[in-house]
């Protein structure tokens, strides 16, 4: 059965983290009393939540997203299509739980930016860049060119915008591509591509990574009018581990806040454009029920177990031996990317779209290596306090450069993989771990630890591009040896 | 030369290994489609719990090796699914219709999104389950281009193995569906199945 299969898949990706933390607790450095228990309870809540969430994505979110995408295209009005892009972008950001978390964090760091202006800039940024993505597909513009121009403009913008804003802006991009927005945006893209006669697999991808550029741009522009503000005190407050029951109510509220706008958007399209029969409608609503339960459990598990314990692990290891942080960071990065809900959505869709040519395990291993490398670099930054520029500029330059050599399909795919790698696990567990480490080595967590989300979303791009080069070579070899013979 | 088209509908990820088995037994090659298995009951369907990812392996074999390939696949204990042999021809000579067949392969092509409704109707008339494959229609001449790209309708293909005595009833109940009333909303056709077994039992 599908739910059991999902439990098995998700379980096999989260249990290694639990085992790793337990090993660390017993053999390297013990965690505070009770932490391990709440971490393990949190882990099991995550497994249950993630499985239900993915089931809901499968039967609710993906089909309706695809349908909205194809219905908007089939209306044959550019205005309807672009309007849909903008509307979906704005609503999905208002719904995205990651953004709510980020806005709170930013407010703590920099009170001069109001939460409303921040969230509305991010929403407009995503809406605008979804329109860019659609214009690109409709008018057959090269995705490489869009990336090249966007990233070039972005870095020029940040020469003038304050550096404090840079970390926030890139992290906002990473947060905008969270567990709700990724599947929905991807589904819209697939829907648009599916009604085109000239099927082009490459057109399925790219939207998610453009949704990462949008908010980064918007906040960079916001930074021009706002001096970023000197970072306030380095106080870090982390919730106590364990209190799962008291988390039920806030988790429910957070989930409702996320899903209600999205449900309203879907109903709006149902009455206006889709007009699905009752049977399909019931299925979609069932999907939303699973999404609701799944997300609630997910929030409970991450807030009660993974965030506080992540902080404690970082702190404990940093105090024990700071150079061990490099290794532990890499391992944690490699393992946590596998527990990211949107990553699972992406690899499933990649396998489906490539008709099984790019297999799930291969893609997961590539992403794990990429994020492991990311965290290794991020930990170097935590220990040394080097400027974020030295890491971001070369990596993105390399990524854009490589995009001119990989097969078309891999251009959007690789950038998308980067964006989806930085989901709720990155903004909870990994960020908490980085903050804890930074505090323990005596650094400034605001400049050294923040930005770690960006690191997580950066290296997978290059890694998947390299995978694309390998794929290109094997395809060439196959074509040469077979001589075009196919059955 | 007489030929047979073998259909194996199995769980996701199992068809590559199955193809190796078939190749060892003499098959020259095959095609793999990805599909979605429908729930085994209407309640599970509404709960959304019954769907599963499936793969459909199709391989064309000549009668010389057909029995060997069929046996090799059916002896593979690692997969669950169904295996069927449908008479086919690739050089113009029609294959004889099997006289003793118990099963039919019913195919329905419909507008995307309706395959589940069709499955529900078919289930009421006696079908047990089916597999849905996504596809697209070929555009008609009067389709308007949208900024240089032609838009095509999305389609679904529903494949069901049903007992022969129920075939007519199932087809009739599908034809009565409200979503099938407009002309051009779907097409149904059947293949006579020579041999049919369940795998992995």
């Amino acid at each position: 059965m599908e739910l059991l299969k999902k439990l098995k898949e998700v379980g096999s990706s989260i249990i290694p983290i639990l085992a790793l933390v337990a090993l660390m607790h017993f053999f390297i450095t013990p965690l505070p009393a009770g932490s391990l228990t709440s971490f393990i309870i949190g882990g099991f809540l995550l497994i249950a939540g993630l499985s239900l969430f993915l089931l809901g994505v499968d039967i609710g979110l993906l089909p309706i997203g695809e349908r909205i995408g194809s219905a908007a295209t089939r209306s044959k009005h550019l205005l309807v299509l672009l309007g849909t892009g903008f509307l979906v972008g704005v609503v999905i950001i208002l719904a995205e739980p990651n953004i709510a978390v980020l806005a709170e964090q930013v407010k703590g760091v920099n009170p001069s930016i109001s939460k409303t202006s921040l969230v509305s800039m991010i929403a407009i940024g995503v809406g605008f860049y979804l329109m860019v993505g659609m214009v690109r597909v409709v008018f057959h513009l090269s995705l490489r060119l869009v990336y090249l121009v966007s990233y070039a403009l972005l870095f020029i913008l940040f020469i003038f915008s304050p550096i404090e804003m840079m970390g926030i802006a890139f992290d906002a991009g990473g947060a905008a591509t969270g567990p709700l927005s990724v599947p929905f945006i991807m589904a819209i893209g697939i829907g648009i591509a599916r009604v085109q006669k000239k099927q082009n697999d490459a057109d399925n991808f790219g939207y998610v990574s453009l949704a990462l550029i949008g908010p980064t741009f918007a906040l960079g522009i916001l930074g021009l009018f706002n001096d970023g503000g000197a970072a306030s005190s380095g106080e870090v407050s982390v919730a106590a581990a364990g209190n799962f029951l008291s988390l039920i109510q806030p988790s429910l509220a957070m989930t409702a806040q996320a899903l209600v706008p999205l449900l309203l958007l879907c109903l709006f399209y149902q009455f206006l454009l889709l007009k699905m029969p009752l049977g399909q409608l019931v299925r979609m609503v069932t999907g939303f029920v699973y999404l609701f339960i799944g997300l609630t459990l997910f929030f409970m598990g991450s807030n009660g177990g993974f965030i506080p314990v992540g902080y404690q692990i970082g702190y404990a290891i940093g105090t024990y031996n700071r150079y061990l942080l490099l290794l532990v960071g890499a391992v944690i990065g490699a393992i946590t990317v596998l527990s990211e809900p949107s990553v699972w959505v992406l690899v499933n869709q990649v396998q489906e779209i490539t008709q099984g040519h790019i297999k799930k395990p291969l893609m997961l291993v590539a992403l794990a290596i990429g994020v492991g490398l990311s965290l290794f670099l991020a930990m170097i930054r935590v220990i040394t306090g080097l400027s974020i520029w030295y890491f971001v500029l070369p990596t993105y330059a390399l990524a854009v450069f490589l995009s001119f050599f990989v097969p078309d399909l891999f251009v959007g795919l690789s950038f998308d993989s980067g964006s989806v790698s930085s989901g709720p696990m990155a903004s909870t567990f990994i960020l908490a771990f980085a903050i804890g480490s930074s505090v323990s080595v005596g650094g400034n967590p605001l400049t050294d630890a923040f930005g770690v989300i960006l690191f997580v979303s950066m290296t997978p791009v290059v890694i998947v591009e390299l995978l694309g080069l390998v794929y290109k070579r094997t395809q060439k070899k196959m074509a040469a040896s077979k001589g075009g013979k196919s059955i | 030369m007489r030929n047979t088209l073998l259909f194996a509908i199995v769980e996701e990820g199992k068809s590559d290994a199955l193809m190796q088995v078939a190749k060892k037994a003499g098959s020259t090659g095959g095609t793999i489609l990805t599909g979605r298995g429908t729930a085994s009951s209407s309640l599970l369907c509404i709960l959304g719990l019954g769907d599963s990812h499936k793969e459909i392996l199709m391989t064309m074999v000549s009668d010389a090796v057909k029995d060997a390939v069929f046996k090799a696949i059916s002896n593979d204990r690692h997969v669950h699914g169904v295996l069927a042999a449908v008479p086919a021809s690739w050089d113009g000579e029609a294959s004889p219709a099997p006289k003793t067949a118990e099963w039919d392969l019913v195919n329905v092509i419909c507008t995307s999104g309706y395959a589940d409704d069709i499955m529900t109707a078919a289930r009421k008339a006696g079908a047990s389950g089916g597999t849905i494959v996504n596809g697209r229609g070929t555009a008609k001449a009067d389709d308007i281009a949208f900024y240089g790209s032609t838009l095509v309708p999305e389609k679904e293909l529903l494949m069901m193995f049903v007992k022969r005595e129920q075939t007519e009833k199932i087809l009739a109940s599908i034809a009565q569906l409200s979503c099938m009333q407009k002309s051009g909303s779907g097409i149904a056709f059947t293949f006579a199945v020579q041999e049919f077994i369940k795998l992995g039992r």
Side-chain angles (χ1 to χ4, degrees):
Chain A
M1 207 165 80
E2 205 57 18
L3 184 61
L4 283 179
K5 210 172 128 196
K6 291 213 150 69
L7 277 172
K8 213 170 104 191
E9 275 182 355
V10 173
S12 63
S13 69
I14 292 191
I15 287 172
I17 308 178
L18 300 181
L20 179 80
V21 171
L23 281 179
M24 244 154 47
H25 173 73
F26 290 118
F27 293 109
I28 302 181
T29 163
L31 297 168
S35 284
L36 191 66
T37 334
S38 55
F39 189 71
I40 287 174
I41 296 175
F44 281 101
L45 283 174
L46 281 190
I47 294 175
L50 213 49
S51 309
L52 282 170
F53 173 80
L54 287 174
L55 185 66
V57 166
D58 251 13
I59 64 176
L61 216 50
L62 287 182
I64 198 161
E66 283 175 21
R67 247 158 250 187
I68 290 177
S70 31
T73 316
R74 223 179 297 119
S75 73
K76 287 176 194 147
H77 289 295
L78 193 58
L79 224 56
V80 174
L81 184 62
L82 294 186
T84 301
F86 191 76
L87 192 65
V88 165
V90 170
V91 171
I92 205 88
I93 288 309
L94 298 181
E96 181 56 59
N98 264 4
I99 290 294
V101 175
L102 181 95
E104 280 301 319
Q105 282 171 344
V106 172
K107 211 173 105 195
V109 181
N110 187 349
S112 68
I113 308 171
S114 84
K115 199 175 157 183
T116 336
S117 70
L118 186 78
V119 173
S120 44
M121 278 311 264
I122 295 176
I124 292 171
V126 171
F128 179 74
Y129 253 85
L130 279 192
M131 293 202 298
V132 171
M134 288 171 171
V135 167
R136 174 194 87 77
V137 168
V138 171
F139 294 104
H140 309 287
L141 300 174
S142 158
L143 190 55
R144 299 174 174 99
L145 223 58
V146 177
Y147 287 136
L148 183 65
V149 172
S150 296
Y151 276 108
L153 283 177
L154 209 55
F155 283 114
I156 292 171
L157 181 66
F158 278 111
I159 293 173
F160 301 105
S161 204
I163 189 146
E164 288 87 354
M165 208 59 187
M166 189 171 168
I168 297 174
F170 270 106
D171 276 2
T177 48
L180 268 189
S181 58
V182 166
F184 203 64
I185 291 175
M186 279 183 89
I188 300 250
I190 289 175
I192 295 172
R194 213 161 60 182
V195 292
Q196 316 257 343
K197 188 180 185 187
K198 252 207 193 131
Q199 296 276 305
N200 187 353
D201 286 341
D203 281 352
N204 286 309
F205 299 104
Y207 293 97
V208 177
S209 43
L210 291 176
L212 183 143
I213 297 177
T216 316
F217 243 121
L219 290 193
I221 292 169
L222 186 68
L224 293 179
F225 303 102
N226 182 309
D227 60 0
S232 54
S233 68
E235 281 294 301
V236 180
S237 67
V238 173
N243 263 326
F244 288 107
L245 286 179
S246 69
L247 282 169
I248 294 180
Q249 207 233 335
S251 303
L252 277 176
M254 231 163 126
T255 314
Q257 196 196 346
L259 286 182
V260 169
L262 197 58
L263 188 62
L264 289 179
L265 179 79
C266 293
L267 288 178
F268 172 74
Y269 272 95
Q270 158 70 12
F271 288 118
L272 219 69
L273 216 57
L274 297 177
K275 302 192 173 70
M276 292 180 290
L278 189 67
Q280 292 176 33
L281 202 60
V282 169
R283 260 174 84 84
M284 306 281 158
V285 174
T286 321
F288 267 88
V289 173
Y290 289 128
L291 283 180
F292 191 90
I293 305 172
L295 263 188
T296 309
L297 291 179
F298 183 85
F299 284 138
M300 281 170 63
S302 63
N303 288 334
F306 271 49
I307 295 185
V309 178
Y311 176 83
Q312 284 161 2
I313 295 170
Y315 189 81
I317 302 255
T319 336
Y320 178 74
N321 180 350
R322 63 172 60 183
Y323 294 103
L324 195 61
L325 279 175
L326 296 176
L327 180 69
V328 175
V331 174
I332 283 183
I335 300 180
T336 35
V337 69
L338 300 181
S339 57
E340 203 70 81
S342 4
V343 165
W344 285 88
V345 176
L346 177 88
V347 292
N348 276 330
Q349 289 193 329
V350 168
Q351 180 170 299
E352 194 174 315
I353 284 164
T354 58
Q355 294 283 325
H357 265 303
I358 303 174
K359 291 236 159 36
K360 255 194 251 183
L362 178 69
M363 180 100 185
L364 287 172
V365 167
L367 284 177
I369 293 173
V371 176
L373 201 65
S374 294
L375 274 218
F376 185 79
L377 293 176
M379 284 300 131
I380 290 180
R381 202 167 77 90
V382 163
I383 294 174
T384 60
L386 279 172
S387 165
I388 193 168
W389 273 99
Y390 296 123
F391 298 94
V392 176
L393 195 58
T395 314
Y396 273 115
L398 179 66
V400 172
F401 174 75
L402 275 179
S403 76
F404 285 88
F405 300 96
V406 300
D408 282 349
L409 172 64
F410 278 84
V411 179
L413 177 61
S414 55
F415 276 85
D416 278 8
S417 322
S419 322
V420 303
S421 304
S422 60
M425 288 308 290
S427 48
T428 58
F429 188 60
I430 291 183
L431 184 59
F433 173 77
I435 293 174
S437 335
S438 180
V439 169
S440 73
V441 299
N444 178 1
L446 292 173
T447 53
D448 300 346
F450 279 89
V452 69
I453 304 180
L454 163 67
F455 276 72
V456 170
S457 65
M458 199 165 64
T459 30
V461 183
V462 178
I463 295 279
V464 176
E465 279 177 340
L466 293 178
L467 201 68
L469 289 178
V470 174
Y471 177 71
K472 190 170 154 188
R473 273 190 53 184
T474 53
Q475 290 287 87
K476 250 189 205 158
K477 258 190 214 157
M478 254 169 71
S481 69
K482 268 194 163 179
K485 184 190 140 211
S486 63
I487 295 166
Chain B
M1 196 164 63
R2 281 177 194 164
N3 294 288
T4 308
L5 184 59
L6 295 182
F7 279 95
I9 302 183
V10 296
E11 297 141 312
E12 179 182 33
K14 294 286 173 66
S15 52
D16 281 320
L18 212 57
M19 191 61 231
Q20 293 305 320
V21 171
K23 268 191 182 159
K24 258 186 214 152
S27 161
T28 47
T31 304
I32 295 165
L33 304 177
T34 52
R36 172 165 70 89
T38 61
S40 49
S41 80
S42 300
L43 178 69
L44 282 179
C45 181
I46 288 174
L47 286 179
L49 288 175
D51 286 4
S52 51
H53 293 281
K54 294 280 184 195
E55 281 176 346
I56 303 164
L57 170 68
M58 295 194 290
T59 170
M60 190 74 125
V61 290
S62 67
D63 273 4
V65 294
K66 185 216 134 191
D67 285 331
V69 174
F70 195 89
K71 213 172 153 214
I73 293 180
S74 59
N75 280 340
D76 193 327
R77 292 281 148 202
H78 303 295
V79 294
H80 293 270
V82 295
L83 172 65
V86 176
S89 137
W90 71 34
D91 56 0
E93 188 191 331
S95 304
K99 292 192 178 65
T100 54
E102 295 178 67
W103 295 83
D104 275 335
L105 170 58
V106 175
N107 298 272
V108 188
I109 298 174
C110 62
T111 307
S112 186
Y114 289 104
D116 282 298
D117 296 313
I118 293 169
M119 191 62 233
T120 311
R123 195 177 283 124
K124 274 182 196 145
S128 56
T131 307
I132 299 166
V133 181
N134 288 326
R136 63 199 155 94
T138 53
K140 279 178 275 179
D142 55 341
D143 275 337
I144 310 163
F146 179 60
Y147 294 98
S149 42
T150 311
L151 303 183
V152 293
E154 298 158 84
K155 299 284 185 188
E156 278 176 338
L157 164 66
L158 170 65
M159 300 164 75
M160 296 177 279
F161 289 105
V162 302
K163 288 262 188 196
R164 174 154 289 177
E165 62 262 29
Q166 287 165 335
T167 306
E168 263 180 56
K169 199 177 151 207
I170 288 171
L171 285 175
S173 71
I174 292 172
Q176 268 165 14
L177 277 174
S178 57
C179 60
M180 297 299 257
Q181 295 313 312
K182 258 195 286 175
S183 77
S185 52
I187 182 169
F189 52 96
T190 63
F191 294 130
V193 175
Q194 233 170 14
E195 280 177 80
F196 177 86
I197 54 158
K198 290 183 169 140
L199 293 173
R201 301 280 152 87

